[in-house]
Amino acid sequence: MTLCVAIDGPSGAGKSTVGHALAQRIGATFVDTGLMYRALTLAALERGVDPDDGPALGDLAGTCEIEVERPGPEHPDRLETVRLDGRDVTDAVRTPTVDRAVSAVSRHAEVREAMLPVQRAAAFRHDTVMVGRDIGTVVLPDATLKVYLVAAAAVRAGRRAAEMGAPERYEEYLAEILRRDTADSGRELAPLRQAEGAIVLDTGVLDVEGCVAVIVERLEAMGA
């Protein structure tokens, strides 16, 4: 039976870091669905597709080839590599321009419908740790285990500033995170929320290894 761990949470809560560490610990494949939406957002920006045009974005999602894969040895600092039509766009999808548009792009029903079968296929191909904002609630409602990560907005903004090497932009990152939280939790389609039965971990209190230890302990208790 395929093992699927669904990890959700707001922007900057540490989903990718914890998810990747967990996947390595249990020998599973790591899939970050957020990168799929970021890649589509980048494609829309490059091709002049309006982030508010759901049908056009749905069509674009159906024609783009978006792949998330394990990084090669030439990128030891990456958790994953994302490709858009074969092009490595891992760095390009994390720019402020994409940050500002990704919530608008991902809120459309046409986009999420186009992405859903791709995400589910990836999850059931191998034992998988999948992270995002609606994994436990929509993409994998029957996941083996559901996890919801949280952290104070100030903590998340500080991480982002450190990650980008730009401590002087802390206030900017904080404002962006608060805006993203409001957009993600307030959207009508697949809003960000804690899945029923999910275990909640505060990454402002627990470090990565602490989070992984709690999740592994729960999996072992379940006999998974």
Side-chain angles (χ1 to χ4, degrees):
M1 182 176 179
T2 303
L3 172 72
C4 294
V5 178
I7 300 180
D8 294 303
S11 177
K15 299 183 296 295
S16 292
T17 305
V18 172
H20 184 263
L22 175 64
Q24 288 192 312
R25 174 80 172 270
I26 65 177
T29 298
F30 174 67
V31 178
D32 183 351
T33 59
L35 286 181
M36 296 179 178
Y37 291 112
R38 284 179 172 274
L40 179 63
T41 301
L42 178 65
L45 293 170
E46 290 180 341
R47 303 177 194 188
V49 178
D50 188 343
D52 292 323
D53 190 338
L57 290 166
D59 290 342
L60 181 61
T63 59
C64 287
E65 183 178 0
I66 298 172
E67 300 172 293
V68 178
E69 60 188 37
R70 295 183 181 184
E74 70 277 15
H75 295 296
D77 57 326
R78 289 183 179 177
L79 300 182
E80 66 281 300
T81 290
V82 59
R83 296 187 182 279
L84 174 62
D85 294 328
R87 174 168 57 106
D88 184 343
V89 294
T90 308
D91 295 330
V93 299
R94 296 193 179 279
T95 63
T97 302
V98 173
D99 283 349
R100 287 190 290 269
V102 65
S103 287
V105 169
S106 62
R107 76 172 187 265
H108 297 290
E110 296 90 345
V111 170
R112 303 196 82 84
E113 288 171 4
M115 293 291 197
L116 195 56
V118 178
Q119 294 166 348
R120 286 177 173 165
F124 292 111
R125 193 170 295 121
H126 310 283
D127 286 351
T128 300
V129 175
M130 181 172 283
V131 305
R133 288 177 176 76
D134 64 345
I135 309 306
T137 54
V138 177
V139 181
L140 301 176
D142 297 319
T144 309
L145 180 65
K146 300 173 185 178
V147 180
Y148 192 79
L149 300 184
V150 299
V155 171
R156 290 182 279 142
R159 287 176 182 161
R160 180 65 167 161
E163 175 188 336
M164 300 303 292
E168 72 280 1
R169 296 178 64 187
Y170 167 81
E171 293 295 340
E172 177 185 339
Y173 292 132
L174 178 59
E176 180 65 23
I177 281 172
L178 292 172
R179 188 194 66 78
R180 285 288 304 277
D181 285 354
T182 299
D184 289 341
S185 61
R187 67 191 181 205
E188 292 184 10
L189 180 68
L192 170 67
R193 60 184 174 83
Q194 179 185 331
E196 183 177 354
I199 59 173
V200 180
L201 300 175
D202 188 337
T203 63
V205 176
L206 286 173
D207 62 11
V208 174
E209 287 307 314
C211 290
V212 170
V214 171
I215 297 169
V216 169
E217 182 179 359
R218 181 63 64 90
L219 287 170
E220 290 175 345
M222 296 169 61

